[in-house]
Amino acid sequence: MSASNEQIFETLVYPYLNHAVRMLEAGYASKADIDNAMRFGCGYPKGPLTVLDELGPATVRDALAARHAATGDHLHQPAGLLEEVAAQGGSFEALGAGSVQAAPELRHDIRTVGVVGTGTMASGIAQVFAQSGYDVVFVGRSEDKLAGVTSYITKNLDRAIARGKSDEATKAEVLARLTGATTREALADVDIVVEAIAEDLAIKTELFVDLDRIVKQGAILATTTSSLPITELAKATSRPADVIGMHFFNPAPVMKLVEVVTTESTSPEVDETVKALCARTGKVAVSCGDRAGFIVNCLLFPYLNDAVLLAEAGEELGTIDAAIKETAGFPMGPFELLDVVGNDVSLAIQQELYREFDEPGFAPAATLVAKVDAGELGRKTKKGFHDYS
Ligand code: CAA
């Protein structure tokens, strides 16, 4: 099988656009937040609703309707709002007009940031805050793991120096703002904690119970979970109003998006402070409700899963990657991105979306499951969809 670039684009990108319309029509997120989320979370040149306007809502509606007639898959059925906008000859731009909001302000004094975890995300997040002038206390389980964080950040700073974007003095300043600790008690006086430990409800709940005991009153307790219920973590504490989600993207020092996730209990001051903090660290914040996948993963992973299905139907991985980069202008093809995120993480997210939305078309592709079973997790194991050995 050898589809043209245009066919691959329509097969993979149109359902993603349709899905973005469904998210908008369900009132889960605003037009601006949906577009910003995909631009700043995944590096796409434009958000899906802007792309829809450019392609023409009627063109996309017609192509989806034809595909739906062929597949019967609900995910290919044009969203009601897409039908409406196409029928009226309107645009999504017009629907998003007038939604500009005032810049958020810091309602809490934030000087010191605690980061819990020593993986890629935690390391990147520690770098983001230290680089923005905050003192960072990062907590890991061993001295070795703490050293891993420092070496990750040092490597990134060295790369920036090599590219002429930074200098040795800045590197020394950033590193001097970082303090590692192997005990959580070191977090007692921080103004906000951002945790990025294992994506497991029991493990995170135990941490939040501990943070509630250790961290001073009035501090903000943030989680980077991408799929666990933040409401449950908030309930584990005596201060649910101070608990919030801050979902960063990989690689955290580069991707500008943070999905700020509030629960029913999160206080508006905490929400506003976190958004202001994002702005101060050069990030773009979007508002999300406490639902699996938030904006980005909910739109991204079904598209990645569809790419795996397309490969299962006989299309070459390299052809799909190249076609998407060329036609959609995405910075990475789907298989390159799966290998960066990790097939284990991607499978877990896709399973979570499948559970949350009960959408048969979200069932994880067999090859994705097989890759995980074979331990071919992506770049981190030197083999995923592509080979890195
Ligand atoms: N850590 C720190 N900095 C990095 C980096 C890393 N791992 N990788 C690249 N960079 C920096 C580079 O130093 C460079 O910085 P300057 O512009 O200041 O010089 C910049 O990023 C661009 O890097 P390159 O020129 O080497 O590479 P590129 O142009 O190919 O960009 C990329 C790399 C930014 C990662 C780009 O490919 C991209 O945007 N990819 C999409 C990534 C994506 O979609 N992430 C979201 C995944 S989903 C997720 O994270 C959510 C979840 O819950 C799993």
Side-chain angles (χ1 to χ4, degrees):
M1 175 171 154
S2 188
S4 68
N5 279 1
E6 280 311 316
Q7 284 167 325
I8 292 173
F9 177 81
E10 279 196 24
T11 304
L12 297 183
V13 175
Y14 280 20
Y16 147 72
L17 301 178
N18 199 36
H19 199 182
V21 178
R22 290 221 168 107
M23 184 178 275
L24 179 68
E25 79 184 350
Y28 178 71
S30 69
K31 191 244 174 211
D33 279 358
I34 292 173
D35 273 354
N36 279 340
M38 300 313 288
R39 282 176 62 205
F40 298 112
C42 301
Y44 293 179
K46 288 168 186 162
L49 299 165
T50 300
V51 170
L52 250 171
D53 279 345
E54 288 182 3
L55 292 167
T59 305
V60 177
R61 187 262 326 264
D62 291 349
L64 282 165
R67 181 122 174 256
H68 181 231
T71 64
D73 185 341
H74 162 71
L75 296 171
H76 301 148
Q77 182 177 20
L81 184 62
L82 176 58
E83 292 279 14
E84 225 175 273
V85 171
Q88 290 166 0
S91 73
F92 288 92
E93 183 61 41
L95 293 179
S99 59
V100 179
Q101 286 176 352
E105 286 178 31
L106 284 174
R107 304 278 173 195
H108 291 230
D109 191 22
I110 309 278
R111 290 168 198 275
T112 308
V113 178
V115 174
V116 188
T118 50
T120 309
M121 291 312 290
S123 306
I125 292 165
Q127 181 184 337
V128 165
F129 285 110
Q131 222 157 239
S132 306
Y134 293 95
D135 288 325
V136 176
V137 178
F138 63 100
V139 174
R141 285 173 291 175
S142 68
E143 291 295 342
D144 267 10
K145 287 186 187 284
L146 296 181
V149 175
T150 313
S151 106
Y152 171 96
I153 298 174
T154 305
K155 221 159 75 193
N156 281 340
L157 296 172
D158 283 339
R159 182 165 46 184
I161 294 171
R163 290 180 180 229
K165 305 223 164 160
S166 190
D167 51 39
E168 289 293 341
T170 309
K171 174 181 155 186
E173 272 171 36
V174 172
L175 292 176
R177 286 189 202 111
L178 291 157
T179 309
T182 50
T183 156
R184 291 175 183 166
E185 314 297 326
L187 298 168
D189 286 328
V190 302
D191 301 305
I192 179 171
V193 178
V194 182
E195 74 76 19
I197 62 168
E199 191 72 351
D200 177 304
L201 189 58
I203 293 174
K204 285 200 198 282
T205 304
E206 184 272 334
L207 172 64
F208 271 77
V209 169
D210 231 15
L211 292 177
D212 189 29
R213 174 180 66 77
I214 294 166
V215 185
K216 71 180 179 192
Q217 287 299 320
I220 296 173
L221 306 180
T223 170
T224 57
T225 183
S226 60
S227 53
L228 300 171
I230 298 169
T231 306
E232 291 303 312
L233 300 177
K235 273 196 216 150
T237 72
S238 61
R239 35 175 142 167
D242 297 330
V243 176
I244 193 161
M246 283 182 87
H247 185 219
F248 288 78
F249 289 78
N250 190 5
V254 187
M255 307 316 289
K256 286 178 79 93
L257 184 71
V258 179
E259 290 178 318
V260 176
V261 188
T262 50
T263 72
E264 298 276 305
S265 320
T266 310
S267 86
E269 290 75 21
V270 166
D271 183 22
E272 186 172 355
T273 298
V274 165
K275 286 180 176 143
L277 186 62
C278 289
R280 286 183 180 223
T281 56
K283 300 293 181 196
V284 173
V286 294
S287 303
C288 299
D290 189 16
R291 183 179 87 176
F294 312 133
I295 300 174
V296 171
N297 286 355
C298 190
L299 298 180
L300 176 66
F301 284 86
Y303 142 80
L304 295 175
N305 197 53
D306 278 356
V308 181
L309 295 176
L310 186 60
E312 286 174 2
E315 198 57 71
E316 291 287 331
L317 304 185
T319 307
I320 299 174
D321 276 343
I324 285 297
K325 284 190 283 190
E326 202 174 310
T327 53
F330 294 176
M332 290 179 171
F335 299 101
E336 292 167 335
L337 183 56
L338 280 163
D339 284 347
V340 163
V341 170
N343 289 323
D344 50 343
V345 174
S346 298
L347 177 61
I349 292 173
Q350 190 61 24
Q351 279 166 335
E352 198 55 52
L353 292 174
Y354 185 39
R355 262 195 296 274
E356 174 93 33
F357 294 96
D358 201 19
E359 189 71 75
F362 283 1
T367 310
L368 183 59
V369 178
K371 287 279 172 199
V372 176
D373 287 346
E376 295 177 6
L377 306 182
R379 280 176 185 262
K380 60 189 168 188
T381 59
K382 304 255 183 284
K383 190 165 168 38
F385 282 96
H386 296 294
D387 200 330
Y388 305 88
S389 56

